[in-house]
Amino acid sequence: APPPPPPAAASPSSARAVAVAALERVARVTALCRTLRRSEDEGDESGWARAREEAEAVLQELREVVRPLREPGYGEALRRKAERARKRRLRLQRRKHEARAAKEEEAARAAEREAKIDQWRAKCIQEVEEKNRERELKAAADSVLSEVRKKQADTKRMMDILHGLEKLRKLRKEAAARKGVCPPPSADEAFENQVESLKTLLKTRTELYEAEERALRVMLEGEQEEERKREMEKKQKKEREKLLQQKLEMDSKLFGDPAEFPLGHLLQPFRDYYLQAEHSVAALIQIRHEWDQYLVPADHPEGSCIPPGWVLPSLPTNDTWATAVR
């Protein structure tokens, strides 16, 4: 015969309430049993009878309370519901754990993104500061150079003024000689001494300004050379990073991703074989010797030259091949 249907009240909460009520009745029955023994020992028949009646009433209540537990299928239904509740708790705990793990992973990714953004921002700030320092240095050098050129122009203008004074005095002296007026020799000597002194001073200043200009030009050329050197180093660094990335991509296509490549992988012996030249000089020499046997010119009719790098496989031409590659 099929099992009877489970009672409608079979639930962990109702069973818990029944158990609590039953325990309360059991405690009362236990206390009444002690009262019965005490009344029997004392010979109190009326007290013993009252305790007996009360105990029977509590026992009847206990039977009524535990009657649902004796119904057919109650225990099995309670077990199934308890199992479902346990599975529900485990499922909720697993979802909570997965949600916490996803949240932690998202927080880790966010922290990594923030770190990359901070690194990029610091790099940009450093580049801007370097450009500002170079611009300020160049502006200061240009300002000093323009000041030096201005001083040179002033010195040249003074020299032109001296030449003009000499020419003017010569013309006035010739005009005075035509009129019969001749200045004393001491005046000519004093004028020439003063002019020579000024010329010497202007020549010294001109040499000083030229030396200062040469020093500034050397400094500017040095700064420009340093700038060109830094730009060249940046360009070479980018080229090296690009070549390294290409090499990693080729190695990943040929041998798999090293980050996801376990030590006990099936392809580990092949990977060790094809990369042995990177760890052993003897293996490198042996491989080069074997390759050198096949060196031929580019225009040789029976062969071709060795490619400079890895020969990457072509893309799959059908789905079956693509499945095997994956």
Side-chain angles (χ1 to χ4, degrees):
S11 65
S13 59
S14 63
R16 190 180 302 110
V18 169
V20 171
L23 289 175
E24 291 178 357
R25 269 70 175 182
V26 169
R28 289 173 59 187
V29 170
T30 304
L32 290 172
C33 289
R34 287 196 296 268
T35 303
L36 286 171
R37 293 193 188 94
R38 187 169 57 253
S39 299
E40 185 178 2
D41 294 339
E42 294 176 355
D44 186 3
E45 295 182 0
S46 61
W48 184 84
R50 287 194 303 269
R52 180 181 176 182
E53 291 178 358
E54 189 176 355
E56 289 178 353
V58 174
L59 286 174
Q60 185 63 29
E61 292 179 3
L62 180 60
R63 293 188 188 96
E64 293 295 332
V65 168
V66 300
R67 180 175 296 175
L69 301 179
R70 298 179 179 179
E71 293 181 2
Y74 187 90
E76 183 66 21
L78 185 62
R79 187 189 64 80
R80 288 197 301 269
K81 290 188 177 181
E83 184 67 19
R84 284 198 298 268
R86 186 184 66 84
K87 290 181 179 180
R88 188 184 303 110
R89 284 197 305 272
L90 292 177
R91 186 166 59 253
L92 292 176
Q93 290 178 359
R94 184 170 61 253
R95 289 180 181 176
K96 187 176 181 181
H97 179 70
E98 292 175 355
R100 187 186 304 111
K103 187 176 181 181
E104 292 177 355
E105 185 178 359
E106 181 63 26
R109 288 197 297 267
E112 185 178 359
R113 288 195 300 268
E114 290 293 334
K116 290 182 179 180
I117 291 173
D118 293 339
Q119 184 179 3
W120 173 78
R121 186 185 296 114
K123 183 179 179 181
C124 293
I125 292 174
Q126 183 179 2
E127 291 178 356
V128 171
E129 289 179 354
E130 289 180 357
K131 289 181 180 179
N132 289 335
R133 283 196 299 269
E134 293 172 1
R135 192 182 299 109
E136 290 175 359
L137 181 61
K138 186 176 180 180
D142 292 340
S143 176
V144 175
L145 186 60
S146 63
E147 188 69 23
V148 171
R149 289 176 178 174
K150 182 179 179 182
K151 292 178 181 179
Q152 289 178 345
D154 294 339
T155 304
K156 185 178 180 181
R157 188 171 60 254
M158 291 180 183
M159 291 292 293
D160 294 338
I161 291 174
L162 284 178
H163 288 304
L165 287 175
E166 288 179 346
K167 187 180 296 185
L168 179 61
R169 189 174 188 283
K170 182 178 179 181
L171 292 175
R172 288 185 175 180
K173 186 177 179 182
E174 291 177 355
R178 284 194 298 269
K179 294 180 180 179
V181 178
C182 295
S186 59
D188 294 338
E189 185 178 356
F191 179 78
E192 291 177 358
N193 291 335
Q194 188 69 24
V195 170
E196 288 297 329
S197 176
L198 291 174
K199 285 183 178 181
T200 303
L201 178 61
L202 293 176
K203 183 178 180 181
T204 304
R205 288 190 177 182
T206 302
E207 293 176 354
L208 179 63
Y209 296 154
E210 290 177 353
E212 189 174 355
E213 182 181 6
R214 286 195 299 270
L216 289 174
R217 290 187 178 279
V218 169
M219 184 178 67
L220 289 176
E221 290 178 358
E223 289 294 331
Q224 293 176 357
E225 184 65 26
E226 289 292 333
E227 180 65 21
R228 288 194 294 269
K229 187 176 180 181
R230 285 194 293 268
E231 291 295 333
M232 183 61 67
E233 290 178 354
K234 290 181 180 179
K235 186 175 180 180
Q236 291 177 356
K237 184 179 179 181
K238 290 182 179 179
E239 290 293 333
R240 287 195 299 269
E241 292 177 353
K242 185 178 179 181
L243 292 176
L244 180 60
Q245 185 65 27
Q246 292 178 354
K247 182 179 182 299
L248 292 176
E249 291 179 357
M250 286 191 295
D251 291 345
S252 176
K253 292 179 179 179
L254 291 171
F255 307 111
D257 190 1
E260 300 178 356
F261 203 85
L263 295 177
H265 197 271
L266 182 63
L267 297 179
Q268 184 66 33
F270 301 96
R271 183 182 179 88
D272 295 338
Y273 174 76
Y274 285 108
L275 298 180
Q276 60 179 333
E278 297 183 1
H279 309 285
S280 174
V281 179
L284 174 63
I285 295 175
Q286 178 65 25
I287 293 172
R288 286 300 305 269
H289 175 70
E290 294 176 357
W291 275 96
D292 290 344
Q293 295 178 357
Y294 300 96
L295 287 176
V296 293
D299 55 350
H300 198 276
E302 297 182 358
S304 59
C305 61
I306 299 174
W310 290 104
V311 180
L312 296 178
S314 58
L315 296 176
T317 57
N318 53 44
D319 296 338
T320 306
W321 184 9
T323 304
V325 171
R326 286 195 299 268

